[in-house]
Each structure stands twice: as C-alpha cells, then as structure tokens.
Amino acid sequence: MCGIVGYIGNNEKKDFILNGLRELEYRGYDSAGIATLSNGELITYKAVGKLINLEQKCKDFTSTGFGVAIGHTRWATHGKPTEANAHPHIAEFSNVIHNGIIENYKELKERLEKKGHYFLSQTDTEVIVHLFEDYLNDGLDCFEAFKRTIGELRGAYAILLITKKEPDKIFYAKNASPLIIGRGEGGIYLASSDAPLMGYAQEVSYLEDGALGYIDLHNFSSLPNIKQLPQNKGYAQKEGFRYFMEKEIYEQSGVLLETMMGRVSEGKISFENLSADFFDGIGEITICACGTSYHAGMVGKYLLERYAKIKTNVVIASEYRYSSPVLREDELFIAISQSGETLDTLEAIKFVKPFGNKTLAICNVDNSSIVRECDEVLLTRAGIEKGVASTKAFATQVMVLWMLSTYIGSIRGNLSQKEVQKNIEDMVASAKRTEISAKMHEKIKRLSKRYLHGHGFFFIGRDVFYPLALESALKLKEISYLHAEGYPSGEMKHGPIALADSELFTVALMPEHLLYEKIKSNVEELSARDATICAVSALEFEGADDMLYIPSCSSYMEEFFSMMCALQLFALEIAIRLGNDVDMPRNLAKSVTVE
C-alpha cells in the first residue's frame, strides 16, 4: 500500500526522501510526492506513475541547510491516480501525507467548504490539513490544533504534517497503520517501514496505535519502545517474517479492515463511485476469473444468490469466450483479477463489451487494463502481494463480494436492516478472525511434519467451504508441489472415495455453523476406509487423526476466514519443511499476461 518517509536535519533532504520512497516501491503505488520546508519556503513536487517521474521533476531542486521534509507513494483509494490526488496535500501554509482511510472525510469536507476552504483533490487526506489550519485560525497553537484535528478523524491512519508555523517539527499520529521514528547521525528519520531507515537511523521507536505528537531534533529520547535497528534490508521489507507469503498471511486482518473502511459504517454499506442505479435492471450475474480469483468468485456465487437473490454463474476466463456463451440483456458481467492484467480475463471482457452488457471489475490495481476496460470498479485494497501464491488478495476479493451481495440485497429489499447489520457485524468479526495467534501457528508448524509424504490430499467442504477447499488445495499445490484436490464433501462417495487408504490425506473443513452434521457423515465415510483425516474445526471430531482447531465463532463466515488463514499456514509450513522457496514457486508467475 502507500508509503511514508520524513526527515528533520541539515543534510540534503531530497536524497533521503527519494531513497526512502525507492525502498517502499515493493508495496505498490501509482503516484508519488515530496515536500520540503526550509528557510521559510514550503516546496512541493508531485508526479503520477513511477518514482523516476518524480525524480525528473525535482532533479534541479536542492534543499541544503536545516529543514524538514516528507514524502509519499500513493496507492489510490479515493480519487483516480492524478497529480492533484497525489500526496503531499497543501492548504495555505501546511502540508500533510497520510496512509490509511478517513471514514468521515465527507462530512468534514462539507463542513470546511461551508467555512470557505477550497479543496484541490478528490482524496480523504486533504481534509486533514484544512482541518488543522481551521483550528489554527481559531487561535489554537500548532500542537493543540493537531490534537483537535486527529480527535475528529475516524478510520485508519499514519499521518505526518509539516507547517510554516512550526518549521522545525514534524507532527505525527498513528492508528492501525504502521509508523516508525528513527534517530541517526544525520538527524531524525520517519517511515512506514524499517527499510527506508537502513543506513540512516541506528535506533528507532515503533509507534503504537494512538500515538500522537511531534518530533524535532531534540525530543527523540522521550519516545517509547526505542530499539536498535537491524541493518538487513531484505529482513526489513519482510518485517521479520521468513517469507513475503508469511508476512502477507499475517497482514490479512489489517487489509480486510482497509477493504471495508469508508464502505461499511453505521448499519449500511456503500461503495465509492458506484451508485445503486448501476444495478437497475440486472437479472443475472456472471462472474469471470482464473485460479484463486475464480475460487473467490465461487464463494461470491453462494453469497450473491443467498443475500442478493440474483442468479449467478461463475465461469473460467480461459474457457469463456471459446464456449459460444449466450448473454442475456440484463446480465451483469463481473471480472475478478488481482493484477488487473490477467489476459484470459481481459479477453473475456473484450468479448462481452460489444453486446452492451454492464461490466464491473473487482481488482487490486487501479488503472490496470481490466479496470480501464470495465464500466465500474471495486478495488480490493489488498496492497502489493509479492508472494506468487495469493493470500490476502483472495481474502479481500471474498470480502468485496460479501459486501456487494449484502449491498444489492439491501437496495433490492431482500435483506432487512437487521440482516444487513448482522452481516456487517460478521464482516468486522471475520476480519478479526484472520489475526494469527502464535499458538495456532506453532501447532500448524508441528503438524506439518506429518504431511510430507503420501499419494495426495483431498480438501473437502460444503457450501462456501467447497471453494475454500479448492483454494486450499491450490495453495498446497502451488508451493509444496504435492498433489492436492478440492472436492464438495458430498461428492466423495461418487467416485473419489475409491482412492481412500492410509496414505490419502483428507483435510476436512467442518464449520460448526453450516451443515456440520452433513460434512461429519461424509468424513466418517472416508475414515471408515482408513483415510488419514485432519479436521479443521472449532469442535472436537472423534474420527479425526489430527485436529487443526480454529477459535469458536458465531457465524459461518467467521469460520470461513479463520479456516482460510489456518490452511494458508498449513500449506506454507509443509512447503518450508520440503525446502521450497514459497515466494517464488517453480513455473509460476504473479501476473499471467499470456493465454
């Protein structure tokens, strides 16, 4: 996602800011900017696209002598990737950068506009600097104005603000988005990750949620949790995890909340840039995708038919346009892709467009080919995913489809307000269920050593847990190179059970709140034929050889997201024990741009 860097000191400020942003490129971005405040001058440069464009813009600029500086790489959530929407954002004499989402920015913006503030961007971030200066105009000092500003914000944020009124300080605030302050021989350094600080700072403070204050050259020692900074940049990018895939599994609780922010609040669901009338006249939906995105689409079918009451088809993109598909006039075509460049899916959209059907992209990358080709887009906001085997992209795709099905169900009157509120509560709880406990991860590490042989895996489940079984089998195949298949558990007796013996590992997804007794009987059929059973459930199952426990949940979707994480870790630990590079599995690419 977005990246933040800041600096206070006497060195050339542009060099550190650009170097720091370069270290954050791996997180993904679509625009970048820098602001310096020195000798009473507040100077800002912004550019769309890669950092080289920003470097070219400010190549003749120097900023020596004492001053402060901030820099940002933006990944669009509110407003398109344009120079006006890029950070830093300026009001009259102050400048701000921000990671995260301000949920209540619209009401704040309307209030400020009525007081005469003029906004240049479509972003949520710009309200921060205008609100800050509005409080200054009321006679407050800078720190009190900043505190009042932060007190009015709802959402997730890491914020850095500089102002001509206090040119030797950087004001900061953190809530649910990382922010680190470091000290080195050259001054004070700030960033949203360790990596930009390597080679500059020797000691750092990792700020906790709720942190709010200002930093100057003299008050670093008053910060909490000061530690020595490791100097391994690869380690820093992975933030202490062994692999990017492992880090991305752990990130899911945060990115799911970011997926929901600004869209789920006060008992209702709404989407930026997507109005209710877009769904007028829609009588059927076709979801088109490949691989992991296809599995997310299969989950979406269950949810759309259950909550929105719309007949939904799910098709594999590589097969779609060659099958002479018949489209109805009232059919909405939804394309799902992590990268937005998946050629099979892109060609399917191009096939559909001449028929005049409405098209909607569910994608992680704004301004990608699929996003540009579709009429509307719902961004998943997963951030860049470096591991080839998708984890958090799948989680956010499912969450968007769940929100979409609830939204359509609501606007069509198929869900009551009480039912919408229950779904929203379950969404928030589901995001929390993706927080990885050390106890569960350690259990999976120990369990994995028992599943390194045999002649294959069956992952089985029912309803939404069937596509999760498919996705879990795919994860294991991708990174361990072991044979694995996903099946609807009721289908085992219709042929696949012939393979059952002690060397067949069956991973049974057994949710307490959805068809538990049915799945239980299916698993008992396999157990009776000597298959090795690993049950994934919150309930003890006596027929299991191994239990992979998830926490007790109050809904089947909480169980879905909890099992998802457990099975991603299961695949990860098996692959690591087999000595594989889980981030770069053989023969696979992150963005498939060939048919």
Side-chain angles (χ1 to χ4, degrees):
M1 303 294 282
C2 310
I4 277 179
V5 289
Y7 174 68
I8 306 173
N10 293 293
N11 293 342
E12 170 55 70
K13 285 157 279 299
K14 179 181 75 172
D15 290 346
F16 169 72
I17 298 298
L18 291 177
N19 288 339
L21 294 180
R22 201 170 292 113
E23 292 293 341
L24 294 172
E25 282 192 289
Y26 75 94
R27 298 171 67 89
Y29 66 102
D30 47 48
S31 58
I34 177 176
T36 64
L37 175 55
S38 184
N39 300 316
E41 279 194 292
L42 182 57
I43 297 173
T44 304
Y45 291 93
K46 301 197 282 189
V48 174
K50 296 301 181 184
L51 271 176
I52 187 66
N53 299 334
L54 179 62
E55 291 170 2
Q56 286 296 317
K57 275 202 164 187
C58 60
K59 65 180 180 180
D60 298 324
F61 170 71
T62 59
S63 180
T64 55
F66 176 79
V68 300
I70 53 177
H72 189 269
T73 50
R74 175 180 187 256
W75 189 80
T77 54
H78 294 83
K80 296 292 184 183
T82 64
E83 202 167 292
N85 289 331
H87 301 210
H89 290 289
I90 192 166
E92 188 177 345
F93 47 79
S94 309
N95 215 314
V96 72
I97 56 177
H98 157 236
N99 286 355
I101 292 180
I102 306 303
E103 294 181 29
N104 59 331
Y105 84 98
K106 287 183 180 177
E107 59 195 69
L108 293 173
K109 185 174 182 178
E110 288 172 4
R111 189 178 93 198
L112 290 163
E113 285 177 328
K114 288 176 182 176
K115 297 179 76 172
H117 290 262
Y118 178 71
F119 287 80
L120 299 173
S121 77
Q122 302 166 291
T123 69
D124 54 338
T125 301
E126 194 179 357
V127 300
I128 300 169
V129 68
H130 283 277
L131 188 57
F132 170 74
E133 290 197 358
D134 194 64
Y135 277 122
L136 288 179
N137 292 337
D138 289 342
L140 299 179
D141 64 39
C142 287
F143 186 45
E144 187 60 33
F146 187 69
K147 283 198 293 185
R148 293 280 188 94
T149 298
I150 301 305
E152 290 213 47
L153 305 182
R154 294 202 311 267
Y157 49 77
I159 294 168
L160 298 184
L161 182 145
I162 58 178
T163 178
K164 286 184 178 181
K165 298 290 186 181
E166 297 269 8
D168 61 338
K169 297 180 176 69
I170 295 180
F171 295 86
Y172 63 83
K174 177 200 181 305
N175 183 52
S177 192
L179 189 60
I180 306 165
I181 302 178
R183 178 170 64 183
E185 293 179 5
I188 299 295
Y189 304 89
L190 303 94
S192 52
S193 171
D194 285 341
L197 306 180
M198 300 295 182
Y200 294 96
Q202 283 74 52
E203 49 187 354
V204 293
S205 172
Y206 296 90
L207 300 181
E208 300 287 344
D209 283 352
L212 183 153
Y214 63 84
I215 187 74
D216 57 28
L217 282 179
H218 310 294
N219 67 344
F220 177 82
S221 298
S222 65
L223 295 173
N225 306 319
I226 294 175
K227 300 177 181 178
Q228 291 299 117
L229 178 67
Q231 297 299 313
N232 182 311
K233 287 189 178 180
Y235 177 92
Q237 287 189 342
K238 293 173 186 171
E239 297 176 11
F241 293 99
R242 296 165 292 173
Y243 292 92
F244 281 108
M245 182 181 176
E246 182 180 34
K247 171 177 172 282
E248 288 153 9
I249 292 170
Y250 272 75
E251 286 177 342
Q252 287 175 121
S253 60
V255 297
L256 284 170
L257 290 172
E258 191 146 346
T259 300
M260 288 185 274
M261 279 178 188
R263 296 165 166 175
V264 175
S265 63
E266 299 174 356
K268 66 178 182 178
I269 293 175
S270 60
F271 294 103
E272 70 284 1
N273 306 321
L274 187 60
S275 61
D277 60 12
F278 179 73
F279 298 98
D280 288 351
I282 298 299
E284 189 169 323
I285 294 174
T286 292
I287 298 173
C288 183
C290 303
T292 287
S293 298
Y294 174 73
H295 297 153
M298 291 179 70
V299 178
K301 171 183 168 66
Y302 285 100
L303 299 177
L304 283 160
E305 293 189 341
R306 181 166 293 146
Y307 299 131
K309 307 298 185 190
I310 298 180
K311 178 177 172 55
T312 303
N313 317 296
V314 189
V315 296
I316 294 173
S318 59
E319 289 292 313
Y320 181 71
R321 65 196 180 102
Y322 301 110
S323 63
S324 303
V326 177
L327 284 96
R328 290 173 38 173
E329 289 183 4
D330 62 352
E331 190 173 331
L332 170 64
F333 192 83
I334 299 179
I336 308 177
S337 169
Q338 188 282 134
S339 67
E341 303 296 342
T342 311
L343 190 61
D344 293 319
T345 309
L346 180 60
E347 291 300 323
I349 298 165
K350 290 179 179 178
F351 174 85
V352 167
K353 290 289 281 186
F355 293 93
N357 292 72
K358 291 180 180 179
T359 54
L360 172 67
I362 295 176
C363 188
N364 193 35
V365 182
D366 199 6
N367 209 34
S368 57
S369 298
I370 286 172
V371 168
R372 293 195 304 271
E373 197 70 33
C374 286
D375 299 324
E376 299 290 350
V377 59
L378 290 176
L379 292 174
T380 55
R381 303 174 179 169
I384 196 166
E385 191 176 62
K386 294 199 78 169
V388 168
S390 179
T391 51
K392 60 180 180 174
F394 173 74
T396 53
Q397 287 168 353
V398 171
M399 182 59 78
V400 166
L401 286 161
W402 187 7
M403 289 191 293
L404 180 64
S405 62
T406 304
Y407 173 70
I408 298 173
S410 173
I411 62 176
R412 292 197 166 191
N414 294 318
L415 289 178
S416 67
Q417 179 56 41
K418 186 176 179 180
E419 289 171 319
V420 172
Q421 181 60 41
K422 176 64 167 65
N423 269 3
I424 290 172
E425 290 170 2
D426 289 344
M427 288 171 194
V428 175
S430 296
K432 292 178 180 176
R433 288 296 178 198
T434 64
E435 293 176 358
I436 309 297
S437 74
K439 182 179 179 181
M440 182 179 76
H441 195 166
E442 188 57 37
K443 171 68 186 287
I444 293 170
K445 281 182 182 178
R446 294 197 308 272
L447 193 65
S448 65
K449 65 188 176 186
R450 301 172 60 173
Y451 291 88
L452 307 179
H453 61 291
H455 57 70
F457 289 76
F458 278 150
F459 288 79
I460 61 172
R462 282 179 176 263
D463 204 277
V464 293
F465 294 88
Y466 163 45
L468 181 57
L470 288 168
E471 173 60 15
S472 301
L474 178 61
K475 285 287 97 48
L476 187 64
K477 279 185 280 201
E478 286 177 320
I479 61 176
S480 74
Y481 318 138
L482 298 173
H483 180 71
E485 295 184 61
Y487 267 96
S489 59
E491 275 293 292
M492 296 304 294
K493 58 184 174 290
H494 296 291
I497 201 167
L499 295 173
D501 61 24
S502 61
E503 294 295 293
L504 176 74
F505 299 134
T506 299
V507 182
L509 284 59
M510 304 179 68
E512 178 182 1
H513 298 289
L514 190 68
L515 303 174
Y516 179 81
E517 292 300 326
K518 290 285 186 184
I519 296 171
K520 182 180 175 183
S521 66
N522 300 144
V523 178
E524 285 170 344
E525 292 167 358
L526 283 156
S527 182
R529 287 154 179 85
D530 211 26
T532 298
I533 309 294
C534 177
V536 188
S537 183
L539 301 177
E540 175 75 28
F541 173 55
E542 291 182 0
D545 298 280
D546 290 307
M547 286 296 306
L548 206 174
Y549 289 104
I550 62 167
S552 181
C553 300
S554 60
S555 74
Y556 74 92
M557 286 303 289
E558 281 184 64
E559 292 180 293
F560 178 95
F561 282 95
S562 187
M563 286 189 195
M564 175 196 73
C565 290
L567 293 168
Q568 289 168 346
L569 290 172
F570 184 69
L572 176 90
E573 294 302 336
I574 289 174
I576 290 173
R577 282 192 183 273
L578 291 170
N580 299 338
D581 181 350
V582 299
D583 284 339
M584 294 293 293
R586 69 190 185 199
N587 305 330
L588 299 179
K590 189 65 186 170
S591 180
V592 183
T593 56
V594 294
E595 277 198 282

